[in-house]
């Protein structure tokens, strides 16, 4: 007689975001029933997501509204909750620090407490989307070797501060109630689903439009900061691995390499045959931040050793993939508009 294993159920907040899209596909491919927690009465991203990810069952709610989280838990009754929802743009967080604290910080408390008070503390495993922004880029912890799980935190934005509140709240629920809550301290990860408000996608989108004669240049802020940029598809696998591990814990996911925005520009423009990006870039102070994170470099050795996680996509492949994706997308749209 064949023994059927029950289908696992996941509830993903931030379903319309970059990671929500990658993760829900990954979980669906693994046989999960995926519920997506979606914000707003008439979210403009809902139709797009329904078309690209028809297998996701949507539940409306907001991370600032605990009642809606409780209701989502009652409907989905998940084995795993992935809390990806956040105001995630560092620059925007300086403009709306209070809202960022409510969503990105207190939203984490709302998720944890909702799981606890609905009697799911033992059943439901939780992934919390922590971030390398909590380190702040001041390289006094482990010069040259990269930040790891034991490095000091020194957030440099309202976003980083809110994420640190969420991170410590998650650890507190693990220690106080024995809940399975794991925090992924993820360094920057990018790809074809990245929002155009982030620097990598802003650049690749602009490169494609410049190639098709739709714009002449791109306006950016500071170009010297360095980031440890990986591919989002690799990183969502790491989130899942954290919840399959025997113990809840904190893990850094990173590539172990760091590159400047100028490095990204050079590779992106080379992809369309331009050896010099400078004629196509103008600096605009509007895109500079009151405090900058100079350099982020992560040490993923714990995740590699304990979870068997490894990134697959390297930096040049990431840039090439993003530019080619945008060239194809902008090319199709341009052909269509020209009839
Ligand atoms: P993203 O593309 O900006 O997506 C953020 C998601 O949060 C969107 O689906 C957004 O929904 C949702 N959201 C915003 N406010 C909400 C609210 N009040 N209630 C419910 N949902 C709300 O971010 P991402 O790049 O996928 O990142 C996923 C998570 O990982 C975030 O928590 C981010 O801070 C963290 N993280 C990201 C990186 C990275 O490099 N990507 C690195 C480290 C950590 P709407 O469609 O309604 O706006
Ligand atoms: O692409 P960014 O906006 O990403 P940032 O600030 O590193 O944050 C991202 O990664 C974090 C993990 O480390 C996540 F937690 C966070 O949610 C988000 O996904 O900016 C990268 C760098 C910064 O130094 C910024 O000042 O690019 C610089 N930059 C220069 N010109 C710009 C621009 N950033 C943006 N978004 N837009 C510009 O025009």
């Amino acid at each position: 007689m064949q023994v059927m294993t029950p289908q696992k159920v996941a509830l993903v907040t931030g379903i319309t975001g970059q990671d929500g899209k990658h993760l829900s596909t990954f979980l669906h491919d693994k046989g999960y029933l995926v519920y997506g927690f979606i914000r707003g009465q008439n979210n403009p991203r809902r139709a797009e997501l329904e078309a690209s990810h028809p297998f996701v069952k949507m539940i409306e709610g907001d991370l600032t509204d605990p009642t809606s989280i409780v209701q989502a838990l009652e409907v989905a009754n998940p084995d795993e909750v992935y809390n990806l929802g956040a105001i995630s743009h560092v620059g925007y967080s300086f403009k709306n620090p209070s809202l960022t604290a409510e969503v990105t910080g207190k939203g984490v408390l709302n998720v944890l407490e909702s799981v606890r008070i609905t009697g799911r503390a033992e059943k439901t495993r939780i992934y919390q989307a922590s971030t390398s922004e909590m380190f702040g880029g001041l390289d006094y912890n482990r010069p040259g070797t990269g930040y790891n799980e034991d490095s000091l935190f020194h957030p440099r934005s309202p976003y980083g501060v809110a994420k640190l509140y969420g991170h410590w709240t998650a650890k507190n629920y693990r220690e106080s109630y024995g809940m399975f809550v794991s925090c992924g301290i993820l360094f920057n990860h990018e790809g074809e689903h990245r929002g155009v408000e982030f620097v990598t996608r802003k650049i690749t989108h602009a490169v494609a439009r410049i190639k098709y004669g739709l714009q002449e240049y791109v306006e950016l802020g500071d170009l010297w900061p360095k980031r440890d940029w990986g591919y989002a598809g690799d990183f969502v696998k790491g989130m899942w691995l954290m919840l399959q591990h025997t113990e809840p814990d904190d893990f850094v996911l990173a590539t172990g390499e760091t590159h400047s925005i100028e490095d990204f520009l050079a590779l992106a423009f080379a992809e369309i045959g331009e050896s010099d990006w400078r004629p196509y870039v103008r600096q605009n102070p509007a895109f500079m931040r009151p405090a900058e994170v100079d350099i982020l470099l992560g040490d993923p050795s714990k995740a590699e050793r304990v979870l068997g996680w490894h990134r697959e996509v390297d930096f040049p492949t990431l840039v090439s993939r993003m530019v080619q994706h945008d060239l194809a997308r902008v090319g199709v749209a341009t052909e269509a508009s020209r009839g």
Side-chain angles (χ1 to χ4, degrees):
M1 195 180 78
Q2 202 182 357
V3 180
M4 301 284 285
T5 18
Q7 186 181 29
K8 274 197 167 182
V9 179
L11 174 64
V12 180
T13 75
I15 192 72
T16 56
Q18 168 185 250
D19 291 3
K21 290 179 185 162
H22 280 283
L23 179 68
S24 56
T25 301
F26 177 87
L27 294 173
H28 176 66
D29 291 348
K30 287 231 165 278
Y32 280 62
L33 176 58
V34 182
Y35 286 89
F37 188 71
I38 186 157
R39 182 164 70 121
Q41 188 179 335
N42 189 18
N43 192 321
R45 300 164 93 183
R46 182 178 187 135
E48 184 209 328
L49 191 72
E50 281 172 345
S52 62
H53 294 65
F55 50 84
V56 174
K57 291 182 175 296
M58 307 282 192
I59 307 177
E60 283 166 13
D62 195 300
L63 287 169
T64 61
D65 174 13
T67 309
S68 70
I69 303 173
V70 167
Q71 285 168 345
L73 290 166
E74 300 290 11
V75 171
N77 193 22
D79 301 289
E80 297 170 9
V81 172
Y82 294 85
N83 186 34
L84 311 182
I87 287 176
S88 78
H89 193 274
V90 174
Y92 182 81
S93 80
F94 282 101
K95 293 173 185 147
N96 288 281
S98 182
L99 185 62
T100 304
E102 284 296 329
V103 178
T104 305
K106 192 155 170 265
V108 183
L109 174 69
N110 292 341
V111 169
L112 294 162
E113 187 62 1
S114 299
V115 168
R116 191 182 75 82
I117 63 168
T118 57
R120 291 178 167 78
E122 286 183 26
K123 166 187 161 71
T124 302
R125 295 185 171 201
I126 302 169
Y127 171 83
Q128 171 53 26
S130 292
T131 169
S132 49
E133 277 287 311
M134 300 186 309
F135 296 126
L138 302 172
D139 202 13
Y140 54 74
N141 289 301
R142 306 184 71 215
T145 59
Y147 292 107
N148 69 10
E149 295 77 5
D150 299 321
S151 299
L152 289 177
F153 296 122
H154 185 141
R156 301 257 296 160
S157 64
Y159 168 77
V161 172
K163 278 285 179 185
L164 192 52
Y165 170 82
H167 183 73
W168 278 108
T169 304
K171 285 166 82 91
N172 181 248
Y173 270 64
R174 190 194 298 161
E175 292 170 8
S176 304
Y177 305 115
M179 286 167 60
F180 195 113
V181 188
S182 285
C183 300
I185 307 175
L186 270 52
F187 284 65
N188 298 51
H189 45 279
E190 318 291 317
E192 57 274 24
H193 296 314
R194 189 58 144 154
V196 288
E197 67 273 33
F198 298 95
V199 77
T200 57
R201 189 73 196 282
K202 184 173 174 181
I203 292 169
T204 62
H205 178 66
V207 165
R209 286 177 53 83
I210 288 166
K211 172 76 179 171
Y212 281 96
L214 299 173
Q215 73 185 64
E216 290 175 17
Y217 57 88
V218 58
E219 288 191 330
L220 299 172
D222 288 318
L223 304 182
W224 44 264
K226 291 181 151 189
R227 291 292 181 272
D228 181 328
W229 275 304
Y231 178 57
D234 289 343
F235 282 51
V236 298
K237 183 177 181 190
M239 298 175 186
W240 176 76
L241 284 171
M242 287 179 214
L243 294 199
Q244 313 317 305
H245 189 51
T246 47
E247 303 292 332
D249 206 344
D250 303 329
F251 294 96
V252 162
L253 298 185
T255 71
E257 287 176 29
T258 189
H259 300 274
S260 68
I261 295 155
E262 293 187 350
D263 296 337
F264 194 99
L265 284 164
L267 286 177
F269 277 93
E271 199 69 23
I272 58 163
E274 295 292 339
S275 57
D276 187 5
W277 52 266
R278 285 168 187 81
Y280 302 106
V281 174
R282 295 190 188 168
Q283 281 193 279
N284 183 339
F287 298 111
M288 295 171 188
R289 295 165 184 181
E292 183 53 87
V293 171
D294 297 352
I295 174 169
L296 288 177
L297 172 67
D299 170 8
S301 53
K302 177 177 170 185
E304 291 173 351
R305 192 179 66 253
V306 177
L307 303 176
W309 179 80
H310 293 278
R311 68 90 185 247
E312 282 168 24
V313 178
D314 65 13
F315 182 62
T317 308
L318 171 70
V319 181
S320 171
R321 189 179 284 194
M322 290 178 72
V323 173
Q324 292 304 331
H325 174 81
D326 278 331
L327 283 171
R329 201 177 48 82
V330 173
V332 167
T334 307
E335 292 301 320
S337 72
R338 286 176 184 157

